[in-house]
Amino acid sequence: MVITSTATHPDEQAQSIVSTFASRYVREPIPRFKIPEKSIPKDAAYQIINDELMLDGTPRLNLASFVTTWMESECDKLIMASLNKNYVDMDEYPVTTELQNRCVNIIANLFHAPINEDETAVGVGTVGSSEAIMLAGLAFKRKWQTKRKAEGKPYDKPNIVTGANVQVCWEKFARYFEVELKEVKLTEGYYVMDPVKAVEMVDENTICVAAILGSTMTGEFEDVKLLNELLTEKNKETGWDTPIHVDAASGGFIAPFLYPDLEWDFRLPLVKSINVSGHKYGLVYPGVGWVVWKSKDDLPDELVFHINYLGSDQPTFTLNFSKGSSQIIAQYYQFIRLGFEGYKNIMENCLENTRVLKEGIERTGQFNIISKDIGVPLLAFSLKDSSQHSVFEISDQLRKFGWIVPAYTMPPDAQHIAVLRVVVREDFSRGLAQRLVSDIEKVMKLLDSLPSTVSNKTAHVTAITNETGEKIKKSATETQREIVLYWKRLVGGKKHGAC
C-alpha cells in the first residue's frame, strides 16, 4: 500500500491560513481608487497585496532591465536598518553624508578626475541617471548663459548635440528646461552617434555635446576620444569652448574594470561632467545615480543652495529634497565589499556569459548579431528573415517561459531595424544563458509550425507592381521596414487599449 503524505511546510501552512483568513474577513471588495472606509488586520492587508504581486514578472528573468535585482543579505540588512533615514538631513545623519562623499570621491577617482588625495571631489548622489543628467545639463546651460550675457550676445536659444540613440531622459531635459535637442541620426549598421556628424552640428549656441558610454539600444560605447579631438579643433577654429558630457549610466562601472586603457573620461580635456547609475552595474538596488564634475569651476555656484533649517548650513544641489539613505549606504557597501578586484571579476563574468549567449544564438542560424563585443555586456540581435514572423512575436512567446526579453525598433534613421535585446547582469548565470537559448529554439520551432501572421496581415509586403503590371520583389530591407511598421502600429494600438 502506498501512503501519500499531505504534510506541508509550516510556512506554507501559515500562509494558507492567512490567505483564508483574509478572504473570510474582507467580505467587501477593496476599492481601487479611494481609501477604504474601514481598517482591516495587518495580516489581511499583507496577504491581499502579496497575492496581487504574485502576478508580477520575476525580476531575475527580466532581461529588459539594466537594474540590479540581487544583493547580498548583509547589504539587505543595512538597507532595512536605514529605511527611516532621510538622506537630506545631513546634520542629523552626518555619517551617511560622509559615506556619500566617500562614494563621490571613489567614483571621481575611477573616472580619473584631477583631484589630489586630500581634495574632495565635486559631485552628488541622485535617484538615478535621469536626475544626474538634469543637474549636469543645468550646469552647462547656466555656464553658457553667463558667458553669453557677459559677451552681450543672445542667450535664449541653447542647444545640446546628441545621437538619436540617447535615453529618454535627455529628451525630458530638453523639453523641461527649454533646450533644443539636436540629434545625429543613425544609419543601418552604425547605431551610435557619429562624432564627425556631431561636431558638424555644433554651433555657438551649443551648451555641450553628450556622448554615451553604453548605448541603451546596443550597449556600444561611443568614441569619446575622437569626439574630443574633433571638437577641440572646432573650438580652436571658432573661438568657442563647447564641452562634452559623458552619459555613462550603463558603461561607467564597466569601462574602468574591463577596458582601463580606453580614454573616455576626465583624461580628455573637454569632458567636464559624467553621470553613472549605481543601480545598474554599480550593483545596487534602484534607485541611485551619481554625477561628478571635473572641477569646482564646472559647477556654477549659483546652482548650489544653502539651507540651515535642519540644524546647520547645508549645501544642496538636487532636483528633489527628501529621499532615503538606503541606496547610498548600499553603494558604499559594494565599494568596500568588492573592491576593484571584485568589480572586475563580476564584469568579466558578465562578459563571459554574454559570449556564451552569443554563441548559442549564432548556432541557431536564424539571427544577426547587432551588438558589439566591446561595450556593456548585452546581446542585441535581429531576425535574418522577418518575412514570416517578427521579433515581437518571439518576445511575446518567450513570456510563456517566464522570460522578459524586449523587442523594439532602432531610433531614426534606422527605425526599420527591429531587434531583441538581452541584458546580462550579475545574477544572469551561464546556466540561465543556456536555458534561454534552448527556449528561443523552442519558440522558433513553434513559430515555424504556425501560419505567418505577417504574410496574412501585410500581404503587400513581398511584392510591388510596376507601371506595366509586372511584380517586382522588394529588398529584404524594404520588407523588414514594412513588417516593423505593421507591428509598431499593432503594439501601439494595444498600449492605447485598441484591439
Side-chain angles (χ1 to χ4, degrees):
M1 184 176 70
V2 178
I3 300 175
T4 304
S5 173
T6 58
T8 57
H9 190 279
D11 288 346
E12 294 177 355
Q13 290 178 331
Q15 187 174 16
S16 176
I17 292 170
V18 171
S19 183
T20 303
F21 172 73
S23 63
R24 288 179 179 175
Y25 187 90
V26 185
R27 299 185 182 278
E28 298 295 327
I30 302 295
R32 294 176 60 195
F33 303 117
K34 65 178 182 178
I35 192 168
E37 293 294 331
K38 297 181 181 180
S39 302
I40 61 174
K42 59 183 180 181
D43 291 341
Y46 167 82
Q47 193 61 47
I48 289 168
I49 298 171
N50 187 65
D51 288 349
E52 284 203 62
L53 290 175
M54 289 172 64
L55 299 175
D56 266 347
T58 304
R60 286 190 61 189
L61 299 183
N62 178 10
L63 307 182
S65 178
F66 291 82
V67 173
T68 297
T69 55
W70 177 86
M71 296 188 74
E72 293 175 326
S73 59
E74 288 77 9
C75 192
D76 290 344
K77 293 176 184 177
L78 288 172
I79 289 172
M80 294 304 297
S82 56
L83 281 177
N84 59 353
K85 288 185 178 179
N86 190 354
Y87 163 81
V88 79
D89 292 346
M90 299 178 184
D91 196 52
E92 287 79 357
Y93 308 117
V95 175
T96 299
T97 302
E98 171 62 20
L99 296 186
Q100 186 233 212
N101 294 339
R102 292 179 193 175
C103 287
V104 169
N105 268 48
I106 288 170
I107 294 168
N109 278 292
L110 270 179
F111 298 166
H112 298 94
I115 54 174
N116 298 321
E117 289 187 7
D118 58 342
E119 285 185 306
T120 301
V122 182
V124 67
T126 62
V127 294
S129 276
S130 291
E131 183 189 5
I133 285 168
M134 303 280 178
L135 298 177
L138 283 171
F140 283 120
K141 181 181 179 183
R142 183 56 58 91
K143 284 205 69 175
W144 174 83
Q145 287 178 324
T146 300
K147 181 181 178 182
R148 298 282 290 183
K149 288 179 184 178
E151 294 172 345
K153 297 178 180 178
Y155 54 90
D156 60 333
K157 294 182 179 179
N159 69 67
I160 286 181
V161 175
T162 70
N165 57 313
V166 291
Q167 216 263 0
V168 68
C169 59
W170 283 99
E171 297 178 41
K172 289 182 179 179
F173 168 77
R175 190 175 301 178
Y176 296 166
F177 296 102
E178 298 180 320
V179 177
E180 180 189 1
L181 193 66
K182 300 173 71 173
E183 294 184 340
V184 178
K185 302 303 181 185
L186 310 185
T187 58
E188 186 173 347
Y190 196 87
Y191 303 112
V192 292
M193 180 179 70
D194 184 338
V196 175
K197 293 179 180 178
V199 173
E200 288 175 355
M201 295 176 72
V202 170
D203 59 32
E204 63 179 348
N205 294 321
T206 303
I207 63 175
C208 77
V209 180
I212 305 177
L213 195 78
S215 170
T216 300
M217 305 297 168
T218 63
E220 189 175 350
F221 292 165
E222 293 182 344
D223 194 340
V224 188
K225 185 176 182 180
L226 177 58
L227 176 65
N228 181 83
E229 292 171 356
L230 295 173
L231 193 54
T232 298
E233 288 300 314
K234 184 156 190 173
N235 284 342
K236 287 180 180 178
E237 294 171 3
T238 60
W240 304 333
D241 57 356
T242 308
I244 296 171
H245 174 86
V246 179
D247 179 356
S250 299
F253 284 119
I254 300 290
F257 305 106
L258 293 183
Y259 314 106
D261 296 329
L262 182 68
E263 293 183 38
W264 62 274
D265 52 18
F266 291 128
R267 285 171 287 186
L268 302 175
L270 293 182
V271 174
K272 302 300 182 182
S273 57
I274 302 171
N275 68 276
V276 64
S277 291
H279 58 226
K280 292 182 180 177
Y281 288 97
L283 308 180
V284 178
Y285 292 137
V288 59
W290 304 92
V291 57
V292 289
W293 286 269
K294 178 173 281 186
S295 70
K296 292 181 179 178
D297 294 336
D298 298 310
L299 176 59
D301 289 337
E302 59 264 35
L303 293 179
V304 181
F305 292 84
H306 292 266
I307 60 170
N308 61 13
Y309 50 77
L310 293 176
S312 65
D313 179 69
Q314 298 175 10
T316 175
F317 180 40
T318 58
L319 292 183
N320 38 315
F321 197 62
S322 294
K323 63 181 176 182
S325 299
S326 299
Q327 271 64 26
I328 300 292
I329 294 168
Q331 184 73 83
Y332 187 66
Y333 171 90
Q334 292 290 51
F335 283 156
I336 66 170
R337 163 75 174 94
L338 297 173
F340 193 94
E341 177 189 37
Y343 269 95
K344 187 173 187 292
N345 289 340
I346 289 171
M347 301 313 156
E348 287 177 342
N349 189 56
C350 289
L351 198 62
E352 174 62 19
N353 290 335
T354 304
R355 184 189 63 78
V356 170
L357 181 62
K358 177 184 176 183
E359 290 175 353
I361 294 297
E362 287 177 327
R363 278 197 303 270
T364 68
Q366 295 179 285
F367 298 96
N368 291 316
I369 304 300
I370 301 296
S371 51
K372 306 297 183 182
D373 290 334
I374 296 179
V376 176
L378 64 77
L379 195 70
F381 49 102
S382 63
L383 274 170
K384 288 183 177 179
D385 179 11
S386 295
S387 63
Q388 300 299 311
H389 297 282
S390 73
V391 292
F392 301 97
E393 289 178 274
I394 298 172
S395 176
D396 187 52
Q397 290 293 331
L398 284 172
R399 285 267 186 168
K400 298 175 182 178
F401 292 89
W403 301 106
I404 302 174
V405 178
Y408 54 87
T409 55
M410 301 299 283
D413 287 331
Q415 60 265 50
H416 58 284
I417 304 296
V419 302
L420 293 160
R421 187 196 67 201
V422 174
V423 177
V424 177
R425 301 187 302 267
E426 178 188 10
D427 56 356
F428 185 78
S429 65
R430 185 188 187 99
L432 285 176
Q434 294 169 337
R435 181 58 182 267
L436 176 60
V437 172
S438 175
D439 289 342
I440 288 175
E441 289 174 339
K442 293 174 185 176
V443 167
M444 296 307 293
K445 288 180 181 179
L446 173 64
L447 292 178
D448 287 341
S449 69
L450 297 176
S452 171
T453 55
V454 173
S455 60
N456 290 339
K457 298 292 185 180
T458 55
H460 65 285
V461 165
T462 56
I464 57 175
T465 305
N466 65 9
E467 293 178 357
T468 63
E470 296 176 337
K471 286 189 174 180
I472 302 172
K473 190 175 182 180
K474 288 192 174 184
S475 68
T477 298
E478 289 174 320
T479 300
Q480 188 175 37
R481 196 171 279 161
E482 294 206 21
I483 292 169
V484 167
L485 180 60
Y486 163 73
W487 279 99
K488 284 181 74 175
R489 287 172 178 169
L490 180 63
V491 172
K494 287 183 177 180
K495 287 180 180 177
H496 291 90
C499 295

